[in-house]
């Protein structure tokens, strides 16, 4: 309405205005959209052509792309798809090579125990974790755009893979398998894990073909952090049987965490004292070393390789004390040397595998794109989200031929790579050389490594994910809605499962966006005295309101979900459609309304029709409607909906100031002299 409480009114009609103009300003006449295009539009703008048939139009659109595939266009495409062709010629060999070499070998050393540990988490033999720490790293070095990204085995993906494998290839009841039966079961599980990697890679390649890298924006930072933090708790609980030496089958399905805790507590009296002691000593070494690396990362030339030290000490202790035979401690055993033969994964279980491949692909892309973006912003370079889809898709697809399970960027080794001085993707080559030396020559040294130590490595590597919860107080202060998204996602992941929790988090996050558009308020604007600026009247009682003029700003998209709210707000402000015989007392009825559309980023057909209906109702009520600052897309939609059948082009202005100046002229506030705009 025209008379809003707390706002001062400008002088009425026929009175002398005491408004002070801003110092050093000039004046111009108000600009409509048509006049603005005449002054600043393209003079050689083509006339509208008649409708072109569909097939010739498609051929005309594809012709420039076909020309781009020859000559320089083909070279640009090759540079985009093979990033080393761009960064390798500009590589600073003296400045960057030492850092890449040290960082790559450091990460490679950590990849060895961590890869074997995450392989057990994926329900496959440890050696396949080494394969997954070699092939994906090498492929990402050739195709990835993240200079500081370290790929390989990742705890969250390993947990999701292990849950899927346990469901697809369950262990027979009883669990007492002979050596041949155990080998056959392991082979089936390796094939299922490779098939999962194959189809997740194929899905990411399909997303790359469709250029769906923008999907990473739908996985917000609270969703990703809550997902990884909740998955870390799953990893901790799933490793309890190995820590205690309890040969328990892995629980699957919803409420896995609680079912595992119940089974462990029931079987606690049967725990192995030897493996419990090994686990306690391992955690007593690993956790302080992790803390020292975090606290003194700036002072240490390279992080202390606590995992490697623990692996060596435990292997020597187990060998010299014969813990495997005297106390039945579970050990890694023989690691086959060399590489497996390339083999196409078994794709017979396609429907079940596809259902698990989709969340694996989404988590892979979400975590990798988020990590790459964080370090790209920190070190001032850009990444290509679609190229990241290609890199991780090809990485999973090709590595699956060598019996690798799903892989992605990893939080721990990426942070380690940066702390150790890595500069480019070349560090991945040195990491691969380190893992390769283990596969070819050093495998027998890990024969006596207790599996309990690998479980401790899994748990200690979750430190960074657990500490993400320390950000919750700050998130509460910044945005209560993001805090709610974090908590809902975390609770869903912990209570249900990782993949279902991801789905719940994404859906809830999208719902909050929709709810925010529903709760946006339409703001009545007033003039800041002495300026040409219009600001919300509720911000200060010093803003001036012109009798008979209502300036409204609607700062949200206008679509089918907000059209009802838009109608109710405008009815309340303009006095349209008031019911029950109650009409508010107002100082002066609204004669001119200016609708600021700068916040309307898009409008669909339903929203556009609502604006057209508003224009028609304003015309019938004797209210002059002016639209200001519509972007080209919104204006095109409104035009197609028939707005220009109701209003004239002289009612469409380039800014609120221009529309308000025209409105003041219409209200005769400035007398007989022409109206001008401060500039």
């Amino acid at each position: 309405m025209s008379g809003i409480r707390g706002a001062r009114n400008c002088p009425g009609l026929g009175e002398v205005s005491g408004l002070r103009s801003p110092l050093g300003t000039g004046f111009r006449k108000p600009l409509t959209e048509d006049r603005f295009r005449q002054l600043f539009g393209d003079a050689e703008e083509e006339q509208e052509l008649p409708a072109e048939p569909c097939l010739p139009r498609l051929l005309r659109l594809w012709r420039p792309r076909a020309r781009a595939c020859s000559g320089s266009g083909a070279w640009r495409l090759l540079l985009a798809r093979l990033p080393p062709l761009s960064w390798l010629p500009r590589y600073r060999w003296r400045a960057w090579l030492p850092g890449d070499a040290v960082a790559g070998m450091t990460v490679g050393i950590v990849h060895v125990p961590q890869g074997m540990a995450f392989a057990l988490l994926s329900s496959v033999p440890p050696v396949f974790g080494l394969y997954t720490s070699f092939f994906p790293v090498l492929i990402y070095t050739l195709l990835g755009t993240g200079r500081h990204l370290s790929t390989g085995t990742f705890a969250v993906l390993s947990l999701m893979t292990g849950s899927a494998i346990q469901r697809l290839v369950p262990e027979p009841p009883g669990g007492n398998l002979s050596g041949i039966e155990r080998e056959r079961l392991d082979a089936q599980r390796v094939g299922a894990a490779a098939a999962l990697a194959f189809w997740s890679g194929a899905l990411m390649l399909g997303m790359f073909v469709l250029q769906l890298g923008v999907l990473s924006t739908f996985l917000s930072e609270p969703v990703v952090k809550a997902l990884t933090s909740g998955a870390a708790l799953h990893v901790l609980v799933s490793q309890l049987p190995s820590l205690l030496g309890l040969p328990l089958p892995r629980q699957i399905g919803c409420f896995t965490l609680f079912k595992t805790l119940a089974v462990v507590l029931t079987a606690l009296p049967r725990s192995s004292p030897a493996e419990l002691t090994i686990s306690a000593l391992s955690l007593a070494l690993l956790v302080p070393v992790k803390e020292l690396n975090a606290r003194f990362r700036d002072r240490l030339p390279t992080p202390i390789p606590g995992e490697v030290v623990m692996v060596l000490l435990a292997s020597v202790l187990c060998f010299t004390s014969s813990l495997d035979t005297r106390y039945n401690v579970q050990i890694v055993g023989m690691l086959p040397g060399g590489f497996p033969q390339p083999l196409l994964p078994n794709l017979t279980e396609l429907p079940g595998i596809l259902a698990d491949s989709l969340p694996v692909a989404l988590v892979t892309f979400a975590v990798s794109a988020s990590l790459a973006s964080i370090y790209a912003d920190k070190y001032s370079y850009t990444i290509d989200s679609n190229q990241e889809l290609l890199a991780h898709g090809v990485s999973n697809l090709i590595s699956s031929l060598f019996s690798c399970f799903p892989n992605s960027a990893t939080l721990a080794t990426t942070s380690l790579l940066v702390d150790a001085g890595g500069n480019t993707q070349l560090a991945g080559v040195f990491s691969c050389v380190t893992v390769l030396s283990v596969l070819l020559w050093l495998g027998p040294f890990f024969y006596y490594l207790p599996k309990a130590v690998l479980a401790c490595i899994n748990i200690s590597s979750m430190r960074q994910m657990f500490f993400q919860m320390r950000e919750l107080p700050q998130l509460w202060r910044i945005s209560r809605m993001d805090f709610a998204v974090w908590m809902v996602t975390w609770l869903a992941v912990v209570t249900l499962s990782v993949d279902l929790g991801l789905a719940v988090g994404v859906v809830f996050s999208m719902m909050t966006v929709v709810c925010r558009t529903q709760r946006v308020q339409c703001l009545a604007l007033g003039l800041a005295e002495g300026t040409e600026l219009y600001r919300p009247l509720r911000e200060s009682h010093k803003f001036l309101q012109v009798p008979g003029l209502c300036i409204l700003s609607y700062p949200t998209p206008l679509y089918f979900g907000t059209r009802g709210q838009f109608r109710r707000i405008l009815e309340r402000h303009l006095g349209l459609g008031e019911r029950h015989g109650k009409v508010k007392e107002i100082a002066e009825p609204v004669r001119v309304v200016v609708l600021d559309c700068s916040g309307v980023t898009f409008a669909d057909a339903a929203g556009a029709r609502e604006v057209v209906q508003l224009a028609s109702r304003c015309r019938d009520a004797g209210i002059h409607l002016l639209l200001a600052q519509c972007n080209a897309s919104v204006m095109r939609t409104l035009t197609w909906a028939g707005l220009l059948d109701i209003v004239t082009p002289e009612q469409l202005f380039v800014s609120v100031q221009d529309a308000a100046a025209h409105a003041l002229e219409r209200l005769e506030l400035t007398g007989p002299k022409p109206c001008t705009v401060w500039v």
Side-chain angles (χ1 to χ4, degrees), residues 196-220:
L196 191 61
F198 181 91
W199 285 114
S200 62
L203 286 173
M204 283 187 280
L205 285 180
M207 293 164 65
F208 164 74
V209 171
L210 298 175
Q211 297 291 285
L212 296 181
V214 69
L215 286 179
S216 61
T217 59
F218 291 99
L219 294 169
S220 62

Side-chain angles (χ1 to χ4, degrees), residues 99-171:
D100 282 340
V102 172
M105 287 188 288
T106 303
V107 170
I109 290 172
V110 174
H111 266 315
V112 173
Q114 188 170 281
M116 292 190 292
F118 289 161
L120 294 180
L121 192 60
S122 301
S123 301
V124 296
V127 69
F128 294 95
L130 297 181
Y131 300 151
T132 310
S133 300
F134 177 80
F135 291 103
V137 177
L138 188 60
I139 296 170
Y140 185 82
T141 300
L142 298 175
L143 298 176
T145 59
R147 298 179 188 174
H148 300 85
L149 210 62
S150 174
T151 59
T153 56
F154 181 43
V156 177
L157 284 184
S158 297
L159 179 68
M160 297 173 69
T161 301
S163 300
I165 298 309
Q166 292 285 343
R167 180 176 55 80
L168 294 171
V169 189
E171 188 167 344

Side-chain angles (χ1 to χ4, degrees), residues 437-456:
S437 64
V438 174
L439 286 171
L440 295 181
W441 302 296
L442 303 180
F445 290 96
F446 298 96
Y447 183 91
Y448 289 98
L449 175 62
K451 291 185 177 179
V453 174
L454 298 180
C456 294

